[in-house]
Amino acid sequence: MNERRPAVFMDRDGTLSHEVGYVNHPSRLRLYPWTVEAVRMINRAGRLAIVVTNQAGVARGYFPESVFDEVQRRLRDEVAAGGARFDAVYACLHHPTVGRSPYRRECDCRKPRPGMLRRAEDELHVDLSRSWVIGDRHGDLQLAWNVGARGALVKSGYGRGELEYLAPSWSRPADLVAENLLEAVERILAREGA
Ligand SMILES: [Mg+2]
Ligand SMILES: [Zn+2]
């Protein structure tokens, strides 16, 4: 039997790349300067590096799925150019009430619903109980908690605003708060003894 491995799940916009609104053209994807190093650290620690992103702009008709594919290719290429790699990239292109078929539907993968993490659990033998989700929004933390993982909030993207104005009313605080993805990864790996 394959041994299950812990993963670090990462949100895309506001966590790996600048939050610029809808990335409706590949040229709008801009990685943070620390992103490649952070992913490389996860790789070297023997943890799975997995992207989980909601891209309802497809359901909304703001850009075609082919543009999303091209953006993801660019993301993978830029990370690979720095000697790092993602083990998987999962995306929810759906919206429950807006847009057109086949993207308009109640799905199980729109964060904070756990579908993408469950897929990773099955396909990549992830041990969710030893995994983390890093993101810039409360929904990323809820995603983690919905599967018994831990959630780290980064202050990039929407994170600073979520932390200052919304977090005081959350029923559960983030398991870790970090300036950015690199600091989050460093502290997670230190905590987990990697
Ligand atoms: Mg985000
Ligand atoms: Zn979905």
Side-chain angles (χ1 to χ4, degrees):
M1 224 193 109
N2 276 334
E3 200 187 324
R4 293 200 170 268
R5 290 168 67 190
V8 178
F9 294 93
M10 290 161 283
D11 167 54
R12 194 188 78 186
D13 303 334
T15 303
L16 292 165
S17 58
H18 289 264
E19 172 58 67
V20 296
Y22 290 99
V23 181
N24 67 345
H25 190 280
S27 64
R28 279 167 62 75
L29 181 82
R30 288 187 298 119
L31 296 191
Y32 290 119
W34 51 77
T35 291
V36 171
E37 186 183 350
V39 176
R40 206 164 41 218
M41 282 185 72
I42 298 168
N43 298 151
R44 289 194 178 144
R47 282 165 168 70
L48 295 161
I50 301 173
V51 180
V52 284
T53 178
N54 281 357
Q55 294 296 326
V58 175
R60 290 173 180 276
Y62 293 167
F63 51 91
E65 189 168 346
S66 60
V67 168
F68 167 75
D69 291 340
E70 182 57 36
V71 171
Q72 293 305 93
R73 205 160 22 245
R74 195 167 169 145
L75 173 64
R76 282 183 184 274
D77 287 351
E78 287 191 31
V79 165
R85 65 160 205 292
F86 295 118
D87 294 284
V89 175
Y90 294 109
C92 169
L93 308 183
H94 311 115
H95 193 283
T97 58
V98 178
R100 51 210 161 82
S101 176
Y103 305 108
R104 176 179 176 158
R105 67 181 179 87
E106 282 290 346
C107 64
D108 68 355
C109 50
R110 182 173 165 81
K111 294 186 288 184
R113 293 183 180 179
M116 294 190 278
L117 270 54
R118 294 289 178 210
R119 265 183 71 191
E121 184 179 34
D122 289 345
E123 295 175 358
L124 300 171
H125 301 284
V126 172
D127 181 348
L128 293 175
S129 71
R130 290 192 293 147
S131 295
W132 284 77
V133 178
I134 305 175
D136 66 322
R137 305 201 74 168
H138 190 218
D140 297 303
L141 305 177
Q142 291 174 304
L143 172 69
W145 297 332
N146 282 342
V147 298
R150 276 162 295 173
L153 186 74
V154 288
K155 293 185 193 171
S156 55
Y158 288 108
R160 191 172 299 277
E162 296 256 325
L163 193 67
E164 283 185 27
Y165 306 121
L166 304 180
S169 63
W170 295 345
S171 58
R172 173 177 171 175
D175 297 298
L176 189 155
V177 176
E179 285 299 319
N180 57 45
L181 177 71
L182 182 59
E183 187 195 311
V185 169
E186 286 170 346
R187 287 172 54 197
I188 287 168
L189 295 179
R191 253 164 95 152
E192 305 289 322

